[in-house]
Amino acid sequence: MPLSRLAGLYGVATSYAPSPDDTVSASDAAVRAALTALGVDVSTPEAVEAALADRERELAERLLPPTLVWWPGSPPDALTALPSGTRVQVTPEHAEAPTDLAVGGLESAPLPPGVHTLTAAAPDGRTAQTHLVVAPARVPDPGDRAYGLLVQLYSLLSRRSWGMGDLGDLAELAAWAGRSLGAGFIQVNPLHAAVPGPPTDPSPYRPSSRRFADPVHLRVEDIPEYAYLDRADRERADDLAERAATLRASVLDKDALIDRDAVWDLKRQALELIRRVPLGPGRLAAYWDFLAREGEALEDHATYCALAEAHGADWHQWPEGLRDPRSPETARARGELMDRVDFHSRLAWLTDAQLGTAQRTARDAGMPIGLVHDLAVGVHPDGSDAWAQQEYLADGMSVGAPPDAFNARGQDWGLPPWRPDRLAASGYAPYRRLLRALFQHAGALRIDHVMGLFRLWWVPQGRPPTEGTYVRYDAEAMLAVLTLEADRAGALVIGEDLGTVEPGVREALRAHGVFGTSVLWFERDWDGTGRPLPPESWRTDCLATATTHDLPSTAARLSGEHVELRDRLGLLTRPLATERAEAAAEAGEWLALFSRLGLMPEGVGGALSGDAEEAAVRAVHRYLLRTPARMVGVWLPDGVGDRRPQNIPGTWDEYPNWRLPIADAEGRPVTLEDLASSPRLHALMDVFKE
């Protein structure tokens, strides 16, 4: 059919396989919607025929694709297939003068890593200019096995926090964990800037901007200018700090939820005061350097923040001229709001500086990796990146997941996807800039839903996720850019590859040194007995953990409490008794395996509570250490017996997602200071010293 052929030429799938023995056809409506979002006219059968003819002619006549990838020793096939006599020139990245490239000797061509500009002129008169990504074969290697802590930063309150965990707390945690526990890394949730509120979307996975961190994470007292407030402003700042202490006490002592909007309201007022203090010459020079380094991206983000103050956070509702970041109206408004643009630029600089301090603190504490930052799969449609990068986003589409064995209705995450054609045409410029920013203060980067480098499930807005389809990306180019930027930063990459993964994806990631994610409860012999996978059968190149922010804590999983919680939330699809029995059988199977392997010398008898529960949690982590996994992560709340997950997918108002402080087994919030002196946590971490 013409529509199917046209879809194939644009990387739009007409079917998908939810399981190896099952293939489902995508609806014509979904395919048409995806093609329309890619700028293809499919409004009538005649339009489809014309679009197909145009695309076939374009591909046949094209001398080179818009982006080429050159791996070590493997020149691009498109170059070796050029017509005889084609003249090829390369202008290296950051250079101005081109040099001739001898196509016949490509294997030994001395091209440095980078994104270069390549031009070709064929004897038949065809010409092309393309981006040439020369990338190392693999991302950096972590070296010796490392273990570390996994934490949602907002949930980690100290006695100095202003109602939620901040970058000062992160630096303190890193210093303590590196020196006292021998930890090699701290993995945190995405620290991306949120869409301005109130109310703010509390999910760190639906940010306004992935490029810039949120200033709500600032430790106000650590800003150098804070010490030089004049008397009147100092009194105002002290009053704000007292109100922050009340907010912190309500979370730690009165069972209140973390209120990000309330925290930001206090910090914003304090930051307005601090901004009145003139920067010293050195500080001013550092700020100017930051502005120059971040360039247009920072100007766009700060302009969005200033416009959001005036017109609301959803840029779709702004006056028409302001919806375009490059319009004369936006340029005029930027000038009129220059003071506010500078304020938000200053906040980005301060946040970047404290991120850098946290990473340096981690490395100074002996951590070989340090901070592991998290890259969300997309951005909020109303936010800064969606406004500034409209040309790169597919209008009218949303990222999600198709129906599968775990969710028969599929998922819609409400995130506009990148257009693969526009990415390729730009040489993956926005993707490169994003990675470079995140690697700036990271020893490693976790990529949420790393399968999105290969394909994403596009859902037409207003339609259920069952009516979506996959759209493919140039995975080779996406991996090459990732490998290049990771190598430049000397940082590792961890891919979150849980759930349905198409064949070949994990193999491709492993070939380029990208680690996977292995969670205990999912590691079973799915192709055979279905029993727990023996530790020696686990993969080596992965981050092995007992749980994640989206899953029950280890104590709740072992006790079966997670079933009771899902029942209270109305999420069970089977009778409660059936779910209880299955959960108990699963936990019992794992505990029996731990016992056979001699991982529970303390013994476990009767109900899992008290000492028996702690012994079982330690056994879980002894088991992880039996695997060959080169990174092992400990979910920090597991160290104090926390029962509550930070997020329950599929809920919104039903559960306080992303708003819970770390708590002990009785549900009492635990501060960073309490964690550092917790006998239970120290007993768990002693497992890594055995």
Side-chain angles (χ1 to χ4, degrees):
M1 291 178 59
L3 182 63
S4 296
R5 290 164 53 198
L6 180 62
L9 295 179
Y10 280 95
V12 177
T14 55
S15 64
Y16 68 98
S19 62
D21 56 352
D22 184 23
T23 300
V24 178
S25 296
S27 69
D28 278 0
V31 173
R32 289 177 185 276
L35 287 168
T36 300
L38 291 170
V40 183
D41 183 2
V42 291
S43 57
T44 65
E46 293 76 19
V48 171
E49 292 278 5
L52 177 60
D54 289 345
R55 183 62 169 170
E56 289 176 337
R57 182 169 54 254
E58 174 196 346
L59 294 176
E61 296 176 355
R62 187 173 70 182
L63 191 60
L64 289 172
T67 294
L68 289 172
V69 172
W70 193 325
W71 300 108
S74 302
D77 292 340
L79 283 185
T80 59
L82 285 171
S84 177
T86 299
R87 184 185 182 191
V88 179
Q89 291 187 314
V90 174
T91 304
E93 188 176 17
H94 307 308
E96 295 181 2
T99 58
D100 288 335
L101 185 66
V103 177
L106 289 175
E107 289 80 358
S108 58
L111 287 174
V115 181
H116 314 305
T117 301
L118 183 147
T119 59
D124 61 9
R126 288 181 296 159
T127 62
Q129 179 171 296
T130 187
H131 305 276
L132 180 63
V133 183
V134 179
R138 297 173 61 85
V139 303
D141 187 272
D144 296 335
R145 169 185 264 191
Y147 69 88
L149 303 175
L150 283 58
V151 63
Q152 300 278 292
L153 179 56
Y154 59 83
S155 72
L156 178 69
L157 282 73
S158 71
R159 289 293 174 185
R160 297 176 178 175
S161 306
W162 282 33
M164 61 181 280
D166 60 35
L167 291 170
D169 297 321
L170 179 58
E172 198 76 41
L173 175 68
W176 168 71
R179 289 185 165 87
S180 298
L181 304 180
F185 62 89
I186 303 287
Q187 178 179 304
V188 295
N189 56 285
L191 303 182
H192 309 320
V195 175
T200 300
D201 188 332
S203 172
Y205 292 93
R206 293 192 77 210
S208 175
S209 174
R210 295 187 291 177
R211 174 79 177 267
F212 298 100
D214 199 308
V216 75
H217 299 114
L218 282 169
R219 170 66 64 83
V220 171
E221 296 88 342
D222 287 351
I223 298 171
E225 288 70 36
Y226 180 82
Y228 300 102
L229 291 169
D230 63 27
R231 179 176 298 178
D233 283 349
R234 167 64 65 184
E235 291 177 356
R236 296 187 187 96
D238 289 345
D239 177 66
L240 291 169
E242 289 179 8
R243 291 162 61 188
T246 301
L247 191 61
R248 177 179 64 241
S250 68
V251 174
L252 295 176
D253 305 323
K254 299 181 180 178
D255 204 30
L257 297 175
I258 292 169
D259 188 340
R260 184 188 183 112
D261 290 328
V263 172
W264 175 238
D265 180 56
L266 295 177
K267 288 191 177 183
R268 180 189 55 75
Q269 294 181 63
L271 292 165
E272 298 275 11
L273 297 174
I274 292 170
R275 186 176 174 236
R276 298 177 186 175
V277 178
L279 296 175
R283 292 276 289 165
L284 185 59
Y287 178 45
W288 285 347
D289 281 351
F290 179 77
L291 294 176
R293 187 188 83 195
E294 298 301 329
E296 184 180 74
L298 176 58
E299 187 176 75
D300 284 343
H301 177 65
T303 299
Y304 165 86
C305 293
L307 289 171
E309 289 178 338
H311 302 287
D314 183 359
W315 60 270
H316 300 89
Q317 304 301 318
W318 293 353
E320 186 173 355
L322 300 180
R323 299 173 199 170
D324 179 359
R326 308 289 168 248
S327 72
E329 292 88 346
T330 297
R332 185 164 51 251
R334 183 183 295 115
E336 294 169 351
L337 296 170
M338 187 52 67
D339 182 69
R340 300 310 298 166
V341 172
D342 180 71
F343 175 67
H344 291 289
S345 298
R346 184 85 62 95
L347 297 187
W349 171 58
L350 294 172
T351 309
D352 180 81
Q354 290 195 6
L355 277 171
T357 298
Q359 172 64 354
R360 287 192 299 275
T361 301
R363 299 302 290 268
D364 289 347
M367 290 188 175
I369 298 172
L371 301 184
V372 181
H373 287 297
D374 198 348
L375 173 60
V377 71
V379 295
H380 198 290
D382 300 343
S384 167
D385 285 359
W387 175 71
Q389 300 179 12
Q390 295 173 52
E391 62 185 299
Y392 297 110
L393 299 176
D395 187 41
M397 305 300 292
S398 175
V399 174
D404 56 27
F406 301 99
N407 192 327
R409 294 174 293 181
Q411 300 175 58
D412 182 350
W413 303 329
L415 310 170
W418 262 335
R419 283 183 55 162
D421 57 334
R422 296 278 176 82
L423 282 179
S426 72
Y428 294 83
Y431 176 51
R432 283 188 277 132
R433 291 191 290 261
L434 171 62
L435 292 175
R436 195 168 303 172
L438 291 172
F439 279 128
Q440 187 77 23
H441 304 302
L445 179 65
R446 174 192 182 269
I447 300 180
D448 191 43
H449 193 70
V450 73
M451 297 82 79
L453 300 182
F454 296 76
R455 63 178 185 176
L456 283 171
W457 183 256
W458 286 21
V459 181
Q461 287 180 2
R463 306 303 304 168
T466 52
E467 297 183 21
T469 190
Y470 277 114
V471 175
R472 192 161 294 280
Y473 293 76
D474 184 344
E476 184 179 40
M478 299 288 275
L479 284 171
V481 171
L482 174 63
T483 304
L484 173 64
E485 295 300 336
D487 182 72
R488 284 171 162 171
L492 320 177
V493 179
I494 303 162
E496 186 272 297
D497 57 350
L498 303 174
T500 302
V501 183
E502 67 174 322
V505 167
R506 288 194 174 105
E507 292 78 6
L509 294 171
R510 184 170 61 248
H512 293 293
V514 178
F515 276 28
T517 301
S518 293
V519 176
L520 180 85
W521 311 102
F522 301 153
E523 293 297 311
R524 291 178 171 270
D525 180 14
W526 298 111
D527 297 326
T529 63
R531 294 174 181 168
L533 202 62
E536 63 273 12
S537 297
W538 283 45
R539 52 183 169 170
T540 299
D541 297 334
C542 75
L543 168 62
T545 69
T547 189
T548 74
H549 56 269
D550 284 335
L551 297 172
S553 71
T554 302
R557 176 81 71 166
L558 290 170
S559 66
E561 291 179 38
H562 66 297
V563 175
E564 309 298 330
L565 175 59
R566 292 182 66 82
D567 178 55
R568 291 196 299 272
L569 296 175
L571 297 176
L572 298 184
T573 58
R574 298 181 298 173
L576 175 59
T578 302
E579 296 279 359
R580 280 176 176 160
E582 185 173 293
E586 179 187 39
E589 194 172 26
W590 281 103
L591 290 170
L593 176 58
F594 301 155
S595 293
R596 289 198 301 273
L597 294 175
L599 302 180
M600 293 194 293
E602 301 94 336
V604 175
L608 277 182
S609 60
D611 292 344
E613 177 187 284
E614 293 185 39
V617 172
R618 290 195 291 272
V620 165
H621 291 84
R622 289 194 184 100
Y623 181 88
L624 294 178
L625 288 173
R626 285 282 187 96
T627 74
R630 296 176 66 194
M631 295 180 71
V632 178
V634 178
W635 177 237
L636 186 56
D638 274 350
V640 289
D642 201 343
R643 331 301 283 182
R644 307 172 301 182
Q646 283 294 315
N647 177 53
I648 298 181
T651 64
W652 180 251
D653 293 331
E654 302 93 335
Y655 188 79
N657 296 313
W658 319 114
R659 290 172 286 172
L660 295 172
I662 296 175
D664 63 17
E666 284 71 44
R668 295 186 296 261
V670 176
T671 65
L672 173 57
E673 294 84 356
D674 296 333
L675 282 163
S677 61
S678 166
R680 177 167 180 161
L681 177 59
H682 279 278
L684 174 58
M685 300 311 297
D686 283 346
V687 166
F688 293 85
K689 303 176 183 178
E690 292 174 358

